[in-house]
Amino acid sequence: MHFDNQLRLRSVRLTAVSVVLAGVLATGPTAARGDEASATPTAPSATDAPVAEPGDTVVGELVQAYADPAPPSAGHEAEAGPHETGHDETGHEDTLLSWVQTDSGDTVRVPTEDVAEVPTGAMVEATVGEPVEDQAAADGYAPALEVLSAEVIAEPVPDQQTTAETIAPVNHPVTVVMLQPAGAARDSTSLAQVVAAVNGPVGDFWEQQSGGVVRVGVTATVDWFQGTTTCADPYALWTEAAAKAGWTYAAGRHLLVYVPAGAPGCSYGLGEVRQDMNSGGRSYVQGTITSLIAHELGHNFGLGHSSKLQCSAALEGAGSACEIASYHDYYDVMGISWDEVGSLSASHAAQLGALPNEARTTITASSASGTYTLSPMSGGVGTRVVQLVTAAGTAYWVEYRAPTGQDAWLGDGARNRVGLQSGVVIRRGNPGSQDSSLLLDPTPASSTYWNGDVRTALPIGTVVPLAGGVFSVTVSRVDPAGAVVAVSVGSHPIDVKYAATGGPAGVLGAATSVRRCGLPADGCAQDFSGGSIYWSAAAGARVVAGELGSSWKDLGGPSSSVGYPVTDTLCGLRDGGCYQLFERGSMYDSASTAPQVVRGAVRDRWVAAKLENGVLGYPTGAETCGLAGGGCLQTFTGGVIGWSPATGARVLLGEMGQAWRTGNGAAVVGHPITDTLCGLRDGGCYQLFERGSMYDSASTAPQVVRGAVRDRWVAAKLENGVLGYPTGAETCGLAAGGCLQTFTGGVIGWSPATGARVLLGEMGQVWRTGNGAAVVGHPITDTLCGLRDGGCYQLFERGSMYDSASTAPQVVRGAVRDRWVAAKLENGVLGYPTGAETCGLAGGGCLQTFTGGVIGWSPVTGAQSMTGAIAGEWLSASPQFSGIGYPVEAARTGAGSVTQEFQSATLVEDLTSGTVISR
């Protein structure tokens, strides 16, 4: 929720009831169900016997309530860490509740927004309508009835102080009642435990924190009794308890009802918020921890909540998103304190009249600037608070929280489990709101980090402007004795910042220009010999120096894409590096790299990779956007970060990043969907992209593998298989629309008709370099080995390829292949092919040689094989001019000779002499 809306929603005065929805949250100790628990009747529904129906007119006092968070487990809030801002542990948003209470004590719940203009405590005449569905009804409260019209018939009457009806020194007598609501079983808590808590740590706390103004003590009790009401109507519950105890309301008198832990529909604590310290009030609780009872009594004294104002850029929200995180002043009992109860904040102590004049120094817009030493807030002596008051009456409270006294737990890591800081903190008064004291955060951060941000102490040496620059606060020293705080009044933040750097004798040196204003966002700037100071209400006053400052100014300064600086220029990084944070990005440089802006998702990924200390090192170029898919990239000394809306930001290391960036990778394989991942065999790395993968190794450059080729490589066990790593890019545009890619162990060939196939070793090399896709087509099998003599083969669309340990790969196809198949391939007398098919012979013929002979073919004779001396004679005679012609039949073996018929002759081989004669 935006800050302005948040304040508008919470502008209604809160002076009636504080609700803690722990019953709904099922927190706190489990109710004991021993012999002491009496039989309990069934709890009536919140909708039974309604006080009013739609159309009725109700007359009574307007009272209000709101939901407080309960501890995660019996008061141990710190174990769970900070809660989500503005929500209780169920995730429900804080809800201001309202009732009209009649003279008879009956209540009708109404929507708070319907009575926003009616002061709490006023007598009102309201006409109600239909029930309204809201979260409170879901949590067990009676449904709210819409207010059709309302008229105030009597203004609220302030409480009047009366003399306490008890022995000294108690001036706030408490009546304790142990009540078992209908439908609830008693727990193991005893009356004595509740009395001991009130008379002991609770009473001691309020007496100490109020400077003796308040002393609570138990003066009357009622032990466990079975009630007939439920928590669905808290006023009916209180009325029943008051009647049992004989308690009547008077200023300064308190009714404290204990209900069993885990009672159905009951809150962890519910306390009326009255007008001032002199008021009494009613409350109920489900526990005895000091912070719970002290918190509800604080509401009876008129205190609202101690909350936290969190903003994304400026301390008080100028130009940034803000949200009030209710209860998230972890220092204060009126916030979330639970186990550890710190000193009451100065703003609330002042509201109670418990902050002596000598404990505070008040500065107004007309006061002079000055420096003050603050004693610890918990010390109880000396000047503990600087109060800053604007002309409009807004009050700021500057106090020092040191780990001493009531705040000693801040210095104990075992007790300070939330991780609160010691130091100077600032609160802003917020009268008229349930969040009556707002702890300010001097180190604003993105809303992403609000949930866990508990660092609210002012950094030493940082100028913190308040009230739009009316005041500026700078902490110069913090030690156990005190904190030294300088307050500038009416000085421009640039002047304050310049003084804080040491003025002319400091790092900035003498001024070289006058202050100039009218910059974007009504900012101002001034130049000095050692740098410049830029200021805006949102970013504060910051030093800009060195190459970073010059580069930022060259980009347009506050008009640039990164806006104003939110830190000074800071150096001392590795390799002589410096950096500066801006509203919408950061700048970094080093001794070997020029200043570069890093921002957005790329910066977040770089931060996750340990910034300049990680594998990426420093940025070496500006962010480049407009890539395919709406993506961006930025280069670093160790790689690249690529980003797109679909994939987020990913790291591409070393040559992998270089190959993707220079090879238009975003268009080819899309954006990375993983970071670069290494540790493969042979020093290999890989990275997955939207439409492919990239692999490299110690001996191979990065290559993209994608589509059907990648799928086949995956099936072949990637780099761990026989193919090894890719050694070249995918080559397409082959015959029949095919593609191929080379690997250390072979080739993968693909076509739409045949799919992807593996060609191993020399087989793949011959097919690739010999234009195999055009000659024999694409492979229809992978390379298959295990033949005789270490042979391998592969089938293609228009032929086959064979090799062996002693023969190179050769293509065999058509009628020649058919004849070789008939001769039992490599297992027959012909053996393996030893040469490529030779065509263009006489008569349009062809021949192909094998280890054991030759096959000749012509259109007239077909294909016939020749072996032995006949094959040699035929080859040496050259059928183009010998007159022998092509063989017309297979050879015939007779007694001592082999005879084979040719077109123009018959060749006979004498097996004894090896000679061949023609006849």
Side-chain angles (χ1 to χ4, degrees):
M1 180 181 293
H2 190 275
F3 178 53
D4 293 341
N5 292 335
Q6 186 83 358
L7 290 183
R8 184 161 57 251
L9 288 173
R10 296 181 175 180
S11 63
V12 180
R13 284 181 53 218
L14 178 64
T15 55
V17 182
S18 170
V19 184
V20 185
L21 294 177
V24 177
L25 301 177
T27 57
T30 303
R33 301 183 184 274
D35 296 337
E36 77 278 10
S38 62
T40 58
T42 301
S45 167
T47 59
D48 289 347
V51 175
E53 299 283 355
D56 288 351
T57 297
V58 182
V59 178
E61 179 185 0
L62 177 67
V63 293
Q64 291 185 305
Y66 52 86
D68 295 340
S73 57
H76 295 284
E77 191 280 333
E79 293 176 358
H83 297 303
E84 183 175 352
T85 301
H87 294 72
D88 63 26
E89 291 178 346
T90 63
H92 300 151
E93 193 169 336
D94 306 327
T95 305
L96 182 65
L97 307 178
S98 299
W99 290 266
V100 176
Q101 184 176 23
T102 67
D103 288 341
S104 64
D106 293 328
T107 56
V108 177
R109 194 165 73 81
V110 296
T112 298
E113 58 270 23
D114 289 356
V115 291
E117 303 304 321
V118 178
T120 305
M123 293 297 294
V124 64
E125 181 177 275
T127 301
V128 296
E130 296 294 330
V132 176
E133 294 295 330
D134 60 9
Q135 184 59 50
D139 289 340
Y141 289 95
L145 299 182
E146 178 186 10
V147 176
L148 303 178
S149 64
E151 180 181 357
V152 175
I153 57 178
E155 294 293 332
V157 178
D159 290 313
Q160 301 296 320
Q161 187 173 13
T162 61
T163 303
E165 300 173 7
T166 183
I167 59 173
V170 172
N171 61 359
H172 281 263
V174 179
T175 296
V176 174
V177 177
M178 310 290 285
L179 189 153
Q180 182 181 348
R186 297 179 191 174
D187 63 18
S188 59
T189 302
S190 68
L191 173 63
Q193 288 174 307
V194 180
V195 171
V198 176
N199 287 341
V202 174
D204 293 343
F205 173 81
W206 279 115
E207 181 176 28
Q208 179 197 57
Q209 295 303 303
S210 67
V213 174
V214 174
R215 177 64 197 185
V216 298
V218 177
T219 60
T221 62
V222 174
D223 209 345
W224 281 111
F225 80 96
Q226 176 63 61
T228 60
T229 55
T230 71
C231 294
D233 186 347
Y235 284 93
L237 186 92
W238 283 326
T239 298
E240 185 175 22
K244 187 74 171 180
W247 182 88
T248 57
Y249 174 78
R253 299 179 63 185
H254 303 267
L255 175 67
L256 177 65
V257 179
Y258 183 89
V259 297
C266 292
S267 302
Y268 188 64
L270 191 76
E272 287 187 302
V273 180
R274 305 300 298 185
Q275 280 82 0
D276 53 41
M277 170 68 91
N278 300 322
S279 304
R282 295 165 287 190
S283 59
Y284 72 68
V285 295
Q286 289 190 15
T288 61
I289 62 173
T290 302
S291 58
L292 171 61
I293 300 175
H295 182 102
E296 302 308 331
L297 289 175
H299 287 314
N300 288 174
F301 300 150
L303 299 181
H305 287 129
S306 293
S307 300
K308 182 179 177 183
L309 178 62
Q310 292 181 300
C311 298
S312 62
L315 180 74
E316 297 184 83
S320 66
C322 295
E323 184 173 75
I324 293 177
S326 290
Y327 322 101
H328 280 209
D329 183 348
Y330 287 83
Y331 297 93
D332 199 294
V333 72
M334 299 312 295
I336 296 176
S337 55
W338 306 131
D339 288 345
E340 306 299 341
V341 186
S343 300
L344 193 65
S345 65
S347 57
H348 277 162
Q351 183 180 335
L352 294 180
L355 186 67
N357 288 334
E358 60 270 19
R360 74 174 100 172
T361 295
T362 300
I363 299 173
T364 68
S366 60
S367 300
S369 301
T371 300
Y372 307 90
T373 300
L374 297 179
S375 299
M377 190 64 188
S378 59
V381 296
T383 300
R384 303 193 297 280
V385 181
V386 173
Q387 180 190 15
L388 311 175
V389 183
T390 68
T394 301
Y396 296 85
W397 307 85
V398 183
E399 60 184 73
Y400 175 33
R401 290 286 180 145
T404 61
Q406 189 71 31
D407 297 326
W409 60 278
L410 290 174
D412 186 337
R415 296 172 63 188
N416 186 8
R417 286 174 288 179
V418 175
L420 292 187
Q421 297 172 291
S422 301
V424 176
V425 296
I426 301 177
R427 292 179 176 83
R428 189 180 75 195
N430 194 31
S433 168
Q434 63 175 346
D435 306 299
S436 55
S437 173
L438 296 178
L439 178 65
L440 305 184
D441 184 354
T443 55
S446 166
S447 59
T448 304
Y449 306 102
W450 285 354
N451 186 38
D453 183 6
V454 295
R455 303 181 68 83
T456 55
L458 273 65
I460 294 176
T462 296
V463 181
V464 179
L466 297 171
V470 174
F471 305 106
S472 294
V473 177
T474 307
V475 178
S476 59
R477 191 183 79 241
V478 171
D479 56 40
V484 178
V485 177
V487 179
S488 296
V489 182
S491 299
H492 194 279
I494 287 182
D495 298 333
V496 176
K497 182 67 173 180
Y498 182 51
T501 65
V507 293
L508 287 174
T512 58
S513 76
V514 297
R515 185 169 66 245
R516 56 190 184 279
C517 294
L519 301 183
D522 295 324
C524 300
Q526 188 169 7
D527 301 324
F528 303 86
S529 59
S532 302
I533 298 177
Y534 279 77
W535 172 88
S536 74
R542 310 295 179 181
V543 173
V544 179
E547 287 192 43
L548 278 181
S550 298
S551 293
W552 175 68
K553 293 176 185 178
D554 290 343
L555 291 173
S559 299
S560 70
S561 61
V562 294
Y564 282 93
V566 296
T567 68
D568 296 338
T569 303
L570 302 169
C571 294
L573 304 183
R574 61 173 288 189
D575 302 331
C578 298
Y579 76 100
Q580 188 152 13
L581 307 186
F582 295 83
E583 290 174 301
R584 296 180 294 276
S586 307
M587 289 188 76
Y588 281 76
D589 70 359
S590 71
S592 57
T593 57
Q596 302 291 347
V597 171
V598 192
R599 60 183 175 177
V602 170
R603 178 181 60 183
D604 294 342
R605 186 65 192 87
W606 186 48
V607 169
K610 301 182 180 180
L611 303 108
E612 77 283 354
N613 297 304
V615 292
L616 284 167
Y618 285 97
T620 57
E623 185 180 54
T624 301
C625 292
L627 305 184
C632 302
L633 67 80
Q634 188 161 12
T635 60
F636 295 80
T637 51
V640 176
I641 293 179
W643 171 88
S644 79
T647 61
R650 306 292 181 176
V651 173
L652 302 96
L653 294 179
E655 290 188 32
M656 198 80 79
Q658 179 74 356
W660 180 77
R661 181 179 68 86
T662 59
N664 196 17
V668 176
V669 289
H671 294 275
I673 58 176
T674 68
D675 295 335
T676 302
L677 303 169
C678 295
L680 305 183
R681 60 174 287 190
D682 301 332
C685 299
Y686 76 99
Q687 190 147 8
L688 306 184
F689 296 83
E690 291 175 294
R691 298 183 298 277
S693 307
M694 193 179 290
Y695 280 76
D696 70 0
S697 71
S699 57
T700 58
Q703 301 292 347
V704 170
V705 191
R706 60 180 179 172
V709 171
R710 178 181 61 181
D711 295 341
R712 187 65 191 88
W713 185 48
V714 169
K717 301 183 180 180
L718 304 107
E719 78 283 354
N720 297 303
V722 291
L723 285 168
Y725 284 97
T727 57
E730 185 180 56
T731 300
C732 291
L734 305 184
C739 301
L740 66 81
Q741 188 161 11
T742 60
F743 295 80
T744 51
V747 177
I748 292 179
W750 171 88
S751 78
T754 60
R757 303 294 181 177
V758 173
L759 301 95
L760 294 179
E762 289 188 40
M763 199 80 79
Q765 179 74 358
V766 167
W767 180 78
R768 181 179 69 86
T769 59
N771 196 17
V775 176
V776 291
H778 295 277
I780 57 176
T781 68
D782 294 335
T783 302
L784 302 170
C785 295
L787 306 184
R788 61 174 285 190
D789 301 331
C792 299
Y793 76 99
Q794 190 149 7
L795 306 185
F796 295 84
E797 291 175 294
R798 296 184 298 278
S800 306
M801 192 179 292
Y802 281 76
D803 70 0
S804 70
S806 58
T807 60
Q810 301 293 346
V811 170
V812 189
R813 61 179 179 169
V816 171
R817 179 181 60 183
D818 294 341
R819 189 69 194 89
W820 184 49
V821 169
K824 299 183 180 180
L825 304 106
E826 78 283 354
N827 296 303
V829 293
L830 287 170
Y832 285 98
T834 57
E837 185 181 54
T838 301
C839 291
L841 305 182
C846 300
L847 68 82
Q848 187 164 10
T849 60
F850 295 80
T851 52
V854 62
I855 293 177
W857 172 89
S858 75
V860 175
T861 62
Q864 299 292 340
S865 61
M866 297 163 277
T867 61
I870 290 178
E873 181 69 18
W874 184 76
L875 286 173
S876 64
S878 180
Q880 295 191 71
F881 57 81
S882 65
I884 298 175
Y886 292 92
V888 296
E889 64 175 17
R892 303 185 304 275
T893 302
S897 65
V898 174
T899 302
Q900 188 164 11
E901 295 291 335
F902 290 80
Q903 287 176 300
S904 301
T906 300
L907 297 183
V908 179
E909 176 187 0
D910 185 326
L911 295 177
T912 301
S913 63
T915 60
V916 175
I917 61 173
S918 174
R919 63 182 183 191

